[in-house]
Amino acid sequence: MSDIVFTRLSGWIPNVIREDGELKLTLGAGADANHEPRTFTFPIGEAHLAVIQEDLARHLLLWSAVLPLCDAAGTRGSLDENAAVALLDPILLSAPADVDALFRRIPWDRGRLIAHGAHIDLLERGQVCAALRTATETSDAKRAQEYQANRRRAERGTVLGPLDAAILRYTGQYLHGSTIPKRMPDAVDPALLPEVVRVVATAEQACAGMRIGRDPRRGKRATDKSAWERMAAAVEAAVRRAHAGLADDAVRSVSFLMCSEAAARSKGAPVEDDEEAGDGVGTGGRARKTALSFTDDKGVEKKWRQGGPRSAGAEFWEFVGDRSASDNEVFTIEDEEMGEGVQLHFYADSIARVTTVREGGGGSEPEYRVEYGLVDGMDGYRKLVSTFVLGGCAALDRHGPWTSDVAEFERARRRRRAAQ
């Protein structure tokens, strides 16, 4: 049986209990293999209890010093009770100067003290007792997170100016750079908000008209990485020109915001009907395709006919998004009536156009002409598919060069890869 002898407002600060007549400090820290919180206890004396009850600073310092021992116990190990007990007298009963000296020798949880109001500058100078004069029983986790974020930046050699910090707060990136950005004007000092808005306006102008579509090669909702990189580069270059002196973190945060918003717009829109913008004029004179067959590398087939609710391009890219995988990266569009088609090789950033030279008959096999071309990312694939749908293989002439020499094509592909 155990009874609580002393507790504070925050349930996380260690409590004192009496268990089978013995005083113990108990605290929750870490988690077990099932992600359930672990609880640790170790014995204390009456003199220790008296200090814990009267001196919040010493109580918090003890907690900060015991937490690394809990971390060392891991998900299933035992607390090193001897090490924990050895901390009691030096932290709770020693003079402030001796406590400061101890904390220069042992590991301790700095963030926990900062969350409870410790003076950061004094803490950094090793004056832990003086730093805890401003301590509070309630914690402010955000304060500790901001401290850790600034410390990580300092380790990278990054120093934020007031505008840099304001931009990061505006985009929600101040604490964690990987957080999906959004616009948070209320998080910014009103005096700096107009300047932040001007930086964002520069970014918006730099990427006006640009878009980040989906990349069905990587799944139904995957983002086109190349388009993202182009937009990010355009935004960062413009912001650096117009607002010299901004930290890289701030510049990247604004480009991340622009790219994330553009990608979100594409994900919420239907698959693009790229070929609907044309009418076949200038694509080789062929009529628009009226019936096509889509197949993947697993032998799955899908038919499309003109007059349905969706265009050929939309149907094809949806088919790719549904079927594409690491072991399924070759897709074909075939016009059986015209005897031509294209085969897309996503693993190699290449395409083959296939045309029937002579129909088979009388026991002879049909003869085909196969020509290969390199493709520049998802935009290149979209353009080629759209062109084929509008004008067939002949319309692809202007999107060359094309070659029937497989060995020469492989050399060209290797040269491009080496240059990337």
Side-chain angles (χ1 to χ4, degrees):
M1 288 289 293
S2 64
D3 299 309
I4 295 178
V5 176
F6 179 72
T7 186
R8 292 192 181 275
L9 290 176
S10 171
W12 286 105
I13 299 177
N15 296 326
V16 178
I17 62 172
R18 193 178 299 276
E19 188 174 73
D20 298 328
E22 184 179 21
L23 286 175
K24 293 186 177 181
L25 197 73
T26 179
L27 69 155
D32 61 20
N34 296 318
H35 306 290
E36 296 293 331
R38 299 197 69 192
T39 300
F40 300 94
T41 61
F42 60 95
I44 66 171
E46 293 289 347
H48 304 134
L49 171 60
V51 176
I52 287 171
Q53 289 174 317
E54 297 298 326
D55 194 331
L56 171 64
R58 298 288 181 122
H59 193 180
L60 292 173
L61 286 168
L62 177 62
W63 185 26
S64 172
V66 171
L67 281 172
L69 298 178
C70 299
D71 292 339
T75 60
R76 61 182 66 185
S78 300
L79 178 71
D80 185 342
E81 279 196 15
N82 292 332
V85 170
L87 294 170
L88 293 171
D89 286 358
I91 293 176
L92 298 179
L93 305 180
S94 298
D98 294 331
V99 176
D100 288 348
L102 173 69
F103 271 70
R104 287 193 286 271
R105 300 194 305 271
I106 64 171
W108 48 285
D109 192 316
R110 189 182 306 261
R112 197 74 58 173
L113 300 182
I114 292 171
H116 281 270
H119 190 286
I120 292 175
D121 289 342
L122 292 175
L123 213 59
E124 295 284 5
R125 293 202 294 267
Q127 298 173 258
V128 294
C129 289
L132 267 293
R133 289 174 187 156
T134 56
T136 60
E137 286 195 34
T138 57
S139 68
D140 181 354
K142 186 177 180 181
R143 185 171 188 258
Q145 290 171 345
E146 290 191 355
Y147 170 79
Q148 292 295 344
N150 286 328
R151 193 171 187 183
R152 287 193 297 270
R153 292 188 191 100
E155 289 171 352
R156 291 189 281 112
T158 298
V159 178
L160 299 180
L163 179 57
D164 300 316
I167 290 171
L168 292 172
R169 293 184 190 282
Y170 179 88
T171 62
Q173 300 277 291
Y174 190 85
L175 298 181
H176 303 289
S178 60
T179 303
I180 295 175
K182 54 186 176 181
R183 302 185 187 220
M184 302 170 60
D186 292 344
V188 179
D189 181 343
L192 287 170
L193 184 57
E195 202 167 349
V196 172
V197 171
R198 282 194 290 273
V199 174
V200 173
T202 299
E204 290 172 334
Q205 292 168 7
C207 62
M210 301 180 73
R211 58 184 292 277
I212 299 176
R214 282 176 276 176
D215 189 345
R217 298 173 299 173
R218 297 179 175 87
K220 293 193 70 170
R221 297 184 63 79
T223 297
D224 185 344
K225 182 180 177 181
S226 296
W228 181 295
E229 291 173 348
R230 283 195 299 273
M231 182 179 288
V235 170
E236 291 178 18
V239 170
R240 286 193 171 96
R241 282 196 305 269
H243 307 278
L246 282 180
D248 286 345
D249 285 24
V251 175
R252 284 193 294 265
S253 181
V254 175
S255 74
F256 192 9
L257 176 67
M258 296 296 107
C259 293
S260 294
E261 290 180 342
R265 287 192 294 270
S266 292
K267 287 180 180 179
V271 177
E272 300 88 340
D273 291 350
D274 290 341
E275 74 275 9
E276 293 295 342
D279 59 3
V281 176
T283 59
R286 294 286 187 96
R288 184 192 298 269
K289 297 296 185 184
T290 58
L292 294 170
S293 173
F294 310 143
T295 55
D296 66 3
D297 211 22
K298 302 292 186 180
V300 175
E301 183 178 23
K302 182 177 183 178
K303 298 286 189 180
W304 172 86
R305 285 193 172 277
Q306 191 179 56
R310 306 185 69 192
S311 70
E315 289 282 0
F316 173 72
W317 289 118
E318 182 172 277
F319 178 69
V320 171
D322 287 336
R323 299 288 307 162
S324 183
S326 60
D327 62 346
N328 194 22
E329 296 186 283
V330 177
F331 287 79
T332 300
I333 308 175
E334 186 177 1
D335 183 341
E336 296 176 359
E337 182 179 348
M338 300 300 298
E340 62 181 7
V342 289
Q343 189 175 69
L344 286 59
H345 315 123
F346 295 147
Y347 65 91
D349 288 328
S350 66
I351 187 173
R353 62 174 180 176
V354 183
T355 53
T356 303
V357 176
R358 186 179 64 248
E359 299 285 348
S364 65
E365 293 292 326
E367 181 182 344
Y368 301 103
R369 180 171 65 252
V370 182
E371 299 168 290
Y372 300 92
L374 296 173
V375 183
D376 185 14
M378 190 60 211
D379 285 346
Y381 276 118
R382 287 191 184 280
K383 183 182 297 182
L384 292 168
V385 167
S386 175
T387 301
F388 175 75
V389 168
L390 287 171
C393 282
L396 293 171
D397 284 344
R398 60 193 176 93
H399 294 291
W402 299 91
T403 179
S404 297
D405 187 331
V406 176
E408 173 56 33
F409 175 70
E410 284 300 317
R411 285 193 290 271
R413 192 161 69 87
R414 285 195 294 270
R415 286 194 298 269
R416 183 177 68 172
R417 180 174 294 177
Q420 290 176 341

